[in-house]
Amino acid sequence: MPTYDVVVKAGTIFDGLQTPRFKGDIGIVDGKIAQIGAIDTADAAEVIDASGKHVAPGFVDLHTHYDSQVFWDPWCTMSGWHGVTSVVIGNCGFGFAPCKPEDRDRTMLSLSRNEAVPLRTMRAGMPWDWVTFAEFLDSVSRTPKGVNMMTFVPLAPLYGYVAGIDDAKTQRVTDEQLAEMCGLLVESMEVGGCGWSAQISGEIGNVQLDYDGTPMVTDCMTEREIVAFSRALRSMGRGVVQMTGSLDIAALIARESGRPVIWNGLVADGALNQHGAGLYSHRDAIKQVAYYNEVEGLRIFAQALTHNFVSEFTFEDYNLLDTMPVWKEALLGTVEEKQAKLADPERRKGMKELHDARGGLFGAGYVMDEIKVNWISSDAPNAQEIKDRYEGWTIGEIATRENKHPVDAMLDVAVAGGLAVGFATKMIETPPQAMKEVATSSMALPGVSDGGAHTKFVTTARYPTEMLGYWVREHEIMSLEEAHWRLSYYPALAAGLKNRGCLREGTPADIVIYDYARLDSGPQERLWDYPEGEMRLVQKAMGYERIIVNGVTTFIDGECTDETPGRLLRHGTD
Ligand SMILES: [Zn+2]
């Protein structure tokens, strides 16, 4: 009997703890790292030659929405492709448990807009074999997984379960209802939830609304409710809160709960992202977070947006313009309704005013003229004719050629194509100095991957590859030792994931082996691999020679091994 199941031989090891890199072997037994050092390969059932390669802990992605995708994609791609070995779901207060059977469709409807997961995909792909949070965890636990998974207790489903999704928006919950929800939170924590999450963004400027354009139920939370949930968490003495909203509210939660808060999010000045520009200038936010932590004694982490912005979208299902009422209203309803609204000259007047006043894409600062008509669906009416006329052209070129305002140029093409027209933005580079300040600030956790969400528009789950293969390799914004700590151990620590995120004897063998020179993301491409043949936008990864989860290889140079060694991680016990 060999002593080791696997030996990773002669790699350059980054342990995720900021230990300076060193050359060595890693021996794995029963899914755990048994030894780090010089190991005789005669003792190994399998030897992986890692010479010339980097060996590092698998990445820990705290901000994902794979709550539905895990049921049809065990590897939670794109994350599984990009070296992520543990994900946290249930972010932003959104999720699927607890949920009464009669509310399932209503719940999916919310997710179809605020996180833009295609509705028919969810309907076809989810088993819905739960009502309570505990039953949901059991369902996730028995579902084959290629990554480890932990979950927050999202607050929106608690409101829905106790007070009714729509009722809870129009009238505040009673004291009895609030107490019942806090009780459910504690019960959910006891079976493995890692804390609670909520998007508390109000109505104005909110980019992730419900299907009907109203705010999500958590957006309307009052101080009384926020304090109640925070104190319920305090009573547990463990767990963390993930919240999207203002720093004042983050501080309130940290104060009342006595627990760490992961605040979303820190965005570099000059950066665009899937949610528009940041709420604060990044220097102000960094200073404020430092004040709370160093002076007031709170513990606030900043989920930092560390990827460049590039997007593709159609007007069939785009939700990321919801901060601008004129666009939000035009993009609610069925495809036919949207088409009629986008053709309406009165509405276009408002869109043009916004464009002209704020100079750019929907008023968000991006140059609209540079957006390209990337593809037109063959199902579109008169597809061939409009393909010949517009495909591959930018809005600026079309506007000039047809002597139109850019808003008219864009919307005329969209309407002519029955909205099945894919528009692509250029990659917008965040100023490297600003990215460095953000990514290396003391409480920054890289990411905002949004894996599993907005899957038709953005591919931000590539962030670990972009951090290593672009920001560190090309721009040297931090050392590789620091980058691996920030991509693995620091987020694991923030979320209370014990024993993960580092390479240490006795810890689970979640490992990436990669070729640093080759590490990169592939081009954006469309796949029709979601249930019901729904399309999603992805970027694959290059340079990961092995991705290992709990000692078992899931990907070899981008090829899936079909192994599903991932586990449900229950907070408090795992
Ligand atoms: Zn989110």
Side-chain angles (χ1 to χ4, degrees):
M1 275 286 283
T3 313
Y4 299 101
D5 301 324
V6 181
V7 169
V8 179
K9 189 75 190 158
T12 299
I13 297 174
F14 296 84
D15 68 3
L17 299 164
Q18 304 211 61
T19 307
R21 69 194 77 181
F22 60 98
K23 223 171 232 164
D25 311 330
I26 296 178
I28 300 169
V29 178
D30 287 339
K32 290 198 167 143
I33 296 175
Q35 197 187 331
I36 300 177
I39 300 173
D40 186 348
T41 50
D43 276 346
E46 183 191 1
V47 178
I48 300 170
D49 176 15
S51 50
K53 307 292 167 357
H54 290 180
V55 179
F59 312 127
V60 176
D61 186 345
L62 299 185
H63 196 109
T64 80
H65 296 278
Y66 291 116
D67 305 54
S68 51
Q69 190 178 327
V70 63
F71 294 108
W72 62 83
D73 173 10
W75 299 275
C76 295
T77 60
M78 303 173 15
S79 296
W81 298 330
H82 285 263
V84 171
T85 52
S86 296
V87 300
V88 179
I89 61 168
N91 272 279
C92 298
F94 311 143
F96 299 104
C99 184
K100 292 174 183 156
E102 60 270 28
D103 291 336
R104 286 172 184 165
D105 222 52
R106 175 66 184 81
T107 301
M108 290 189 279
L109 215 45
S110 288
L111 269 291
S112 75
R113 186 169 184 91
N114 65 40
E115 297 297 348
V117 187
L119 184 59
R120 60 190 187 127
T121 293
M122 283 188 281
R123 282 178 179 151
M126 293 175 68
W128 278 113
D129 51 359
W130 63 84
V131 172
T132 66
F133 189 84
E135 289 164 352
F136 171 74
L137 283 191
D138 290 342
S139 183
V140 171
S141 179
R142 63 178 170 260
T143 295
K145 287 173 297 301
V147 290
N148 302 305
M149 181 167 272
M150 188 162 75
T151 180
F152 287 106
V153 182
L155 292 189
L158 292 183
Y159 280 92
Y161 191 73
V162 170
I165 298 179
D166 295 299
D167 291 345
K169 290 189 194 182
T170 49
Q171 59 189 50
R172 300 323 306 165
V173 287
T174 64
D175 288 344
E176 290 72 35
Q177 286 171 322
L178 191 53
E180 188 184 343
M181 288 159 67
C182 289
L184 286 169
L185 167 65
V186 168
E187 277 173 34
S188 304
M189 292 279 299
E190 279 166 352
V191 292
C194 66
W196 58 264
S197 71
Q199 168 180 294
I200 312 174
S201 299
E203 189 168 8
I204 308 301
N206 189 338
V207 76
Q208 295 194 147
L209 297 169
D210 210 338
Y211 82 104
D212 56 358
T214 61
M216 291 296 290
V217 65
T218 58
D219 286 320
C220 320
M221 280 170 73
T222 61
E223 186 166 326
R224 154 181 167 266
E225 294 159 39
I226 293 169
V227 167
F229 288 117
S230 300
R231 291 186 181 163
L233 191 67
R234 178 182 280 266
S235 76
M236 298 292 298
R238 63 174 175 83
V240 57
V241 173
Q242 180 274 334
M243 64 81 66
T244 303
S246 74
L247 268 169
D248 293 342
I249 299 177
L252 171 70
I253 296 168
R255 238 173 255 135
E256 293 292 333
S257 68
R259 300 302 311 161
V261 173
I262 299 170
W263 167 71
N264 276 244
L266 181 59
V267 181
D269 297 352
L272 282 181
N273 67 81
Q274 65 264 40
H275 303 127
L279 202 56
Y280 303 90
S281 139
H282 71 258
R283 287 186 185 167
D284 291 346
I286 290 168
K287 235 186 265 165
Q288 191 62 32
V289 171
Y291 172 84
Y292 286 136
N293 292 314
E294 292 163 24
V295 180
E296 213 192 310
L298 308 179
R299 204 153 185 225
I300 297 177
F301 293 95
Q303 190 79 58
L305 208 129
T306 52
H307 49 260
N308 278 331
F309 174 79
V310 59
S311 178
E312 182 174 295
F313 59 92
T314 76
F315 287 111
E316 276 180 309
D317 44 23
Y318 201 52
N319 75 318
L320 295 177
L321 297 174
D322 281 354
T323 50
M324 288 159 277
V326 59
W327 282 99
K328 179 185 98 176
E329 282 151 25
L331 294 175
L332 285 171
T334 64
V335 169
E336 291 70 31
E337 286 163 352
K338 292 179 199 179
Q339 210 169 331
K341 288 192 262 188
L342 291 173
D344 171 15
E346 270 311 301
R347 285 180 195 271
R348 285 195 189 178
K349 221 196 276 170
M351 293 166 182
K352 288 178 204 171
E353 278 164 19
L354 187 69
H355 173 275
D356 297 344
R358 290 174 55 186
L361 167 73
F362 319 120
Y366 182 76
V367 183
M368 193 162 182
D369 283 356
E370 293 174 348
I371 294 175
K372 199 172 78 179
V373 179
N374 212 27
W375 52 265
I376 293 169
S377 166
S378 311
D379 300 335
N382 312 318
Q384 202 48 52
E385 190 194 325
I386 55 172
K387 265 176 193 274
D388 292 344
R389 267 175 69 188
Y390 297 116
E391 225 171 49
W393 292 72
T394 66
I395 300 305
E397 289 165 344
I398 297 169
T400 307
R401 196 175 71 186
E402 302 189 343
N403 196 19
K404 284 178 180 168
H405 189 281
V407 168
D408 287 327
M410 180 175 214
L411 294 182
D412 284 349
V413 179
V415 170
L419 305 192
V421 177
F423 295 98
T425 71
K426 277 206 324 194
M427 172 77 85
I428 315 225
E429 167 95 348
T430 300
Q433 178 57 32
M435 184 61 89
K436 180 175 179 166
E437 290 173 18
V438 161
T440 63
S441 67
S442 62
M443 300 303 276
L445 306 164
V448 198
S449 98
D450 261 344
H454 314 301
T455 51
K456 287 181 191 242
F457 326 129
V458 294
T459 49
T460 42
R462 70 178 185 280
Y463 79 91
T465 306
E466 182 168 318
M467 173 60 72
L468 296 171
Y470 185 71
W471 293 110
V472 175
R473 192 181 62 206
E474 309 298 326
H475 286 290
E476 300 178 339
I477 64 167
M478 65 178 86
S479 69
L480 270 172
E481 282 81 355
E482 181 177 350
H484 281 297
W485 172 72
R486 285 189 187 271
L487 288 169
S488 298
Y489 189 73
Y490 202 31
L493 174 93
L497 260 176
K498 290 186 184 134
N499 273 331
R500 304 258 169 192
C502 66
L503 303 181
R504 196 157 53 184
E505 288 165 3
T507 63
D510 295 340
I511 300 175
V512 291
I513 303 171
Y514 67 91
D515 180 344
Y516 191 37
R518 256 189 344 118
L519 202 63
D520 203 356
S521 299
Q524 284 195 329
E525 55 183 301
R526 287 184 289 154
L527 294 183
W528 281 264
D529 65 348
Y530 262 17
E532 296 287 300
E534 276 280 1
M535 182 275 280
R536 62 173 175 149
L537 197 64
V538 299
Q539 282 181 276
K540 293 187 178 150
M542 276 117 48
Y544 294 103
E545 307 224 335
R546 289 267 184 161
I547 298 169
I548 298 172
V549 177
N550 297 318
V552 176
T553 298
T554 51
F555 289 90
I556 301 175
D557 215 3
E559 285 299 315
C560 188
T561 61
D562 285 335
E563 297 283 355
T564 51
R567 297 183 42 210
L568 172 75
L569 303 178
R570 294 182 192 262
H571 192 266
T573 48
D574 281 303

